[in-house]
Amino acid sequence: MRTRTLALAAASGAALLATVALPATAENAARAVGAPTRTDEGSVSAAELLAKVKNCSQISSGKYRTDSETTATVPVCGKNGAVFWKADLDVDCDGQTTSACSRATDPWFQGDTAFHQSNDKPLNAEKLPYVVVPSSSSIWNYSSAGIRDGGVVAVVYNDKVEYAVVGDIGPSRIIGEASYATAKALGMNPDPCVGGAASGVTYILFKNSQVKPIESHSAAVSLGHELARRFIANN
């Protein structure tokens, strides 16, 4: 069952130090309007990333549900330079109205996202790979952990790696949701009603990273390459 995402305003947290940011060039920004075409987007393989997240050092105070009717089984885990979790993938279609994402295609559709493009429009779930983080609660506070809007996420499914950005905020006790574009790039059915994956998805969020502009997928891929290599070297 798909979980409804809450399009909340971004919570303000303590100042984040040593932020890694990669401004996009004009060419990158232009490329960002197209859908991602690669399913394994870097020199670091899915197997290499998964080898570094076999064991969980839990940093959350509790665990999350993957859907409203399931039990809480998913912890947020800590590594050098990143946090990660292993869950399902519910398809988020929220943001700009498109042919694939609208009230006609998604009964839970909301026309806004917590974080916006550089022109202040909501994100485009059909075109932009993004991940949803749980809103801050007693379980875990994403901003205190160094996770921010536009932060880079390596989403791993089967043998595929897709770089996405932190683009929306969801319910405080549910985890495991990403945009239509993320699901499609990973080879899943991206339909917001019946698509996604029931399990087997790993989300690796790189601390203190930020893509500018947030809507540039090519910038997320470029920065993701660098951060993934650093993650492998430091863990």
Side-chain angles (χ1 to χ4, degrees):
M1 177 179 179
R2 185 176 181 278
T3 302
R4 178 69 267 135
T5 297
L6 303 178
L8 303 175
S12 58
L16 299 175
L17 302 179
T19 297
V20 179
L22 181 65
T25 62
E27 179 182 0
N28 285 342
R31 290 171 59 194
V33 300
T37 58
R38 301 180 64 179
T39 55
D40 195 344
E41 296 187 312
S43 56
V44 176
S45 68
E48 288 176 293
L49 288 170
L50 292 177
K52 299 296 183 178
V53 295
K54 285 183 177 180
N55 300 315
C56 175
S57 176
Q58 184 171 331
I59 61 171
S60 57
S61 297
K63 296 181 180 180
Y64 288 94
R65 302 171 184 266
T66 56
D67 293 294
S68 58
E69 72 275 13
T70 62
T71 58
T73 60
V74 180
V76 177
C77 312
K79 298 291 284 189
N80 289 332
V83 302
F84 73 93
W85 56 81
K86 300 178 182 182
D88 63 345
L89 191 152
D90 291 324
V91 177
D92 185 355
C93 239
D94 293 344
Q96 296 180 38
T97 298
T98 68
S99 59
C101 293
S102 68
R103 288 184 174 84
T105 63
D106 178 5
W108 305 278
F109 179 79
Q110 295 183 27
D112 200 5
T113 49
F115 308 121
H116 285 187
Q117 296 181 165
S118 54
N119 62 3
D120 203 34
K121 289 184 178 180
L123 302 183
N124 185 327
E126 182 181 352
K127 300 295 185 182
L128 181 68
Y130 71 73
V131 165
V132 181
V133 295
S135 57
S136 296
S137 70
S138 59
I139 299 176
W140 182 60
N141 185 319
Y142 70 89
S143 60
S144 295
I147 305 305
R148 60 186 305 176
D149 57 295
V152 180
V153 187
V155 187
V156 185
Y157 179 67
N158 292 336
D159 61 346
K160 299 175 182 177
V161 180
E162 177 66 13
Y163 291 107
V165 293
V166 175
D168 206 357
I169 299 173
S172 62
R173 297 185 179 277
I174 296 176
I175 207 165
E177 191 171 6
S179 68
Y180 180 105
T182 309
K184 184 176 181 180
L186 289 169
M188 302 174 190
N189 178 355
D191 187 286
C193 296
V194 298
S199 62
V201 184
T202 300
Y203 303 80
I204 304 172
L205 291 74
F206 299 110
K207 295 179 180 179
N208 301 322
S209 63
Q210 188 174 48
V211 173
K212 293 183 179 180
I214 191 173
E215 67 268 21
S216 175
H217 179 57
S218 57
V221 172
S222 296
L223 184 52
H225 290 172
E226 175 187 342
L227 294 173
R229 287 193 294 265
R230 190 183 305 175
F231 177 76
I232 295 297
N234 293 339
N235 288 279

